[in-house]
Amino acid sequence: GESVGLHLPTLSVQEGDNSIINCAYSNSASDYFIWYKQESGKGPQFIIDIRSNMDKRQGQRVTVLLNKTVKHLSLQIAATQPGDSAVYFCAELNTGNQFYFGTGTSLTVIP
Amino acid sequence: KAGVTQTPRYLIKTRGQQVTLSCSPISGHRSVSWYQQTPGQGLQFLFEYFSETQRNKGNFPGRFSGRQFSNSRSEMNVSTLELGDSALYLCASSARLAVNEQFFGPGTRLTVL
């Protein structure tokens, strides 16, 4: 079966530092990936996406890297701010048009 | 535009009971997906509705069902509740079927005692 997993369940970073959150996926046929941010008491919020024909995509303070060889996805947050504290999920869209989500990494920004 | 709304926000039920959760998508959105979120399993896809028809279904037992109305509002029902059904149930809407960007509601926290 398919699985989307995260390497670390928690991550603490100093304010102003860069954060890197990792994700592994198992279905090499998946061609679309999304990173979501979920704050306490709220639903997931779309951050950035990437298709499998790309290796890198940049947004505002965020970059997603895709390594299809090792089926690895990462989210980089530049100059991490207290408002970035949340749980981050990666999700892959499988060939059946269903999203599979990881269990999430909890990011804590230390002021 | 108002976001996705879900009611109720919190619910406590006992084993064996049934529950109905409601989701109102963003105005103009016709696709509604439901997810179950638990600490151990993360978000798991339940089903997707578009134009009042179930278009996609995840691997959940038949106790989990849903429907969508002509105004795109959706309900999901869980019958014969089990302790393991305790979770946050999230609804997401999108403009079209299986479109990439989904907008999530705040969820309904269901506790089964």
Side-chain angles (χ1 to χ4, degrees):
Chain A
E2 296 170 278
S3 66
V4 179
L6 296 170
H7 293 312
L8 294 172
T10 63
L11 178 65
S12 295
V13 298
Q14 290 289 141
E15 181 178 358
D17 287 352
N18 296 335
S19 303
I20 299 177
I21 300 171
N22 296 305
C23 179
Y25 64 95
S26 60
N27 187 350
S28 57
S30 294
D31 64 358
Y32 181 70
F33 305 87
I34 300 179
W35 279 101
Y36 284 93
K37 171 186 180 182
Q38 187 173 22
E39 297 175 277
S40 181
K42 297 183 180 179
Q45 179 184 5
F46 175 96
I47 301 174
I48 191 167
D49 60 357
I50 189 167
R51 293 203 172 274
S52 59
N53 61 352
M54 302 172 69
D55 296 324
K56 178 180 179 179
R57 189 159 189 230
Q58 289 184 293
Q60 188 176 12
R61 284 200 306 116
V62 294
T63 301
V64 55
L65 299 177
L66 176 63
N67 185 330
K68 294 179 288 294
T69 303
V70 295
K71 291 182 286 188
H72 183 268
L73 196 68
S74 69
L75 176 71
Q76 300 178 1
I77 305 173
T80 313
Q81 303 168 359
D84 295 327
S85 293
V87 175
Y88 291 81
F89 301 89
C90 65
E92 64 175 307
L93 185 65
N94 70 2
T95 51
N97 271 334
Q98 292 182 14
F99 279 105
Y100 282 83
F101 291 79
T103 53
T105 292
S106 177
L107 174 65
T108 300
V109 181
I110 304 166
Chain B
K1 274 186 181 178
V4 178
T5 58
Q6 292 186 246
T7 57
R9 291 293 310 276
Y10 302 92
L11 204 50
I12 300 175
K13 291 286 188 179
T14 56
R15 280 179 297 175
Q17 289 187 308
Q18 67 94 27
V19 66
T20 300
L21 312 181
S22 180
C23 171
S24 292
I26 292 172
S27 178
H29 282 193
R30 297 171 62 191
S31 174
V32 173
S33 296
W34 287 90
Y35 294 87
Q36 181 194 66
Q37 185 177 30
T38 58
Q41 298 295 321
L43 275 87
Q44 292 184 287
F45 173 76
L46 281 156
F47 25 66
E48 179 178 18
Y49 285 87
F50 182 84
S51 294
E52 303 177 63
T53 302
Q54 188 181 91
R55 302 304 181 109
N56 217 339
K57 190 176 188 304
N59 295 323
F60 278 82
R63 299 185 298 108
F64 293 81
S65 62
R67 59 177 176 169
Q68 186 180 34
F69 302 95
S70 58
N71 61 358
S72 295
R73 188 177 70 86
S74 178
E75 291 181 346
M76 68 162 282
N77 185 78
V78 188
S79 62
T80 319
L81 283 166
E82 301 177 358
L83 295 179
D85 297 333
S86 294
L88 181 68
Y89 290 88
L90 290 159
C91 162
S93 81
S94 56
R96 300 185 307 277
L97 180 66
V99 75
N100 301 332
E101 186 168 2
Q102 297 179 318
F103 296 86
F104 283 85
T108 294
R109 174 72 63 186
L110 172 65
T111 302
V112 182
L113 302 177

